[in-house]
Amino acid sequence: MAFRIAPSILSADFARLGEEVSSVISAGADIVHFDVMDNHYVPNLTVGPLVCAAIRPHTQAPIDVHLMVKPVDRLVPDFAKAGANIISFHPEASEHVDRTLQLIRDHGCKAGLVFNPATPLNYLDHVMDRLDLILIMSVNPGFGGQSFIPSALPKLREARRRIDASGRDIWLEVDGGVKVDNIRAVAEAGADTFVAGSAIFSTPDYRATIAAMRAELAR
Ligand code: DX5
Ligand code: ZN
């Protein structure tokens, strides 16, 4: 299986964001994870399409926009225009999940659904053909640096089972509290794409941290 490392820029130095993005990608990461919070769906406020457009020229890596906003639809065209490659959202935040998924693909992006720790996977029942990515939250959304919630592991296993049964090429991403010392267990539960914010950006040597993660994945 191809594993992808997706540093969350939430823990990067925002005063030097372009530089942070290019250095974490040249340190061996695959994807830029871009956390959008609106102080309504989650109790924090981060960045929007302007900042996405500003980092776009700094990397060729895919930008993975994680929308923690409500409502969702109005922002989709803006992020597509700002250079997002993947856009994912929380089903509770959209009145019409199927429509939002279509809207994302209509704008030329890959579409993802995000599951909070207490959100059931039933939202997947009728939309597997509209999905490119499933994101399992292993913390409650809103902040970096929280601890991994262990119930994410059986949930990842169930999501992996559903993806395999569908026969589709759907990425299984995990977000929250992923570190060198638990990434292997998370991969064993079925994840193939790993968001890591504080675990990468709080270390002085991004290359060494990403290499340590890959060594755990290869073990
Ligand atoms: C939390 C965000 C995460 C966050 C992860 O709401 O969705 O992407 O940045 O941070 P760490 O890896 O520090 O838990
Ligand atoms: Zn995220």
Side-chain angles (χ1 to χ4, degrees):
M1 192 185 295
F3 293 121
R4 289 166 285 260
I5 308 274
S8 161
I9 58 162
L10 190 60
S11 295
D13 179 353
F14 273 80
R16 300 187 298 111
L17 204 48
E19 212 178 296
E20 289 275 74
V21 163
S22 53
S23 69
V24 84
I25 294 296
S26 51
D30 304 289
I31 295 170
V32 177
H33 185 80
F34 190 95
D35 287 304
V36 182
M37 304 183 186
D38 68 349
N39 188 41
H40 169 69
Y41 181 64
V42 291
N44 199 356
L45 183 64
T46 60
V47 287
L50 274 177
V51 176
C52 184
I55 64 167
R56 182 68 283 181
H58 292 265
T59 184
Q60 304 212 347
I63 299 180
D64 168 30
V65 172
H66 174 191
L67 293 179
M68 288 160 274
V69 303
K70 185 178 180 171
V72 179
D73 293 6
R74 218 201 57 75
L75 285 175
V76 168
D78 294 1
F79 274 104
K81 218 175 293 164
N85 303 90
I86 304 164
I87 299 178
S88 57
F89 65 98
H90 292 247
E92 308 92 326
S94 170
E95 300 293 340
H96 304 283
V97 171
D98 180 276
R99 178 184 287 155
T100 305
L101 289 169
Q102 279 191 65
L103 181 68
I104 294 169
R105 282 190 171 172
D106 286 349
H107 281 82
C109 298
K110 293 187 175 194
L113 269 190
V114 191
F115 294 83
N116 284 334
T119 304
L121 291 178
N122 309 2
Y123 280 106
L124 294 173
D125 287 352
H126 309 288
V127 295
M128 290 297 275
D129 58 333
R130 301 228 188 268
L131 279 179
D132 302 292
L133 173 137
I134 296 169
L135 172 49
I136 303 295
M137 292 304 298
S138 38
V139 297
N140 286 292
F143 302 94
Q146 304 178 83
S147 307
F148 187 91
I149 296 175
S151 64
L153 293 174
K155 202 167 183 183
L156 282 165
R157 278 185 217 109
E158 170 61 15
R160 170 52 60 200
R161 195 193 60 70
R162 288 181 182 238
I163 291 169
D164 291 349
S166 79
R168 293 176 182 276
D169 179 22
I170 297 173
W171 294 6
L172 182 54
E173 187 172 39
V174 60
D175 185 2
V178 175
K179 313 218 169 301
V180 172
D181 63 11
N182 64 8
I183 197 167
R184 184 176 159 81
V186 176
E188 280 169 355
D192 54 31
T193 306
F194 306 86
V195 177
S198 51
I200 293 174
F201 284 106
S202 68
T203 57
D205 185 345
Y206 304 161
R207 178 174 297 279
T209 306
I210 292 167
M213 288 177 165
R214 291 210 194 274
E216 282 296 309
L217 291 171
R219 201 150 64 78

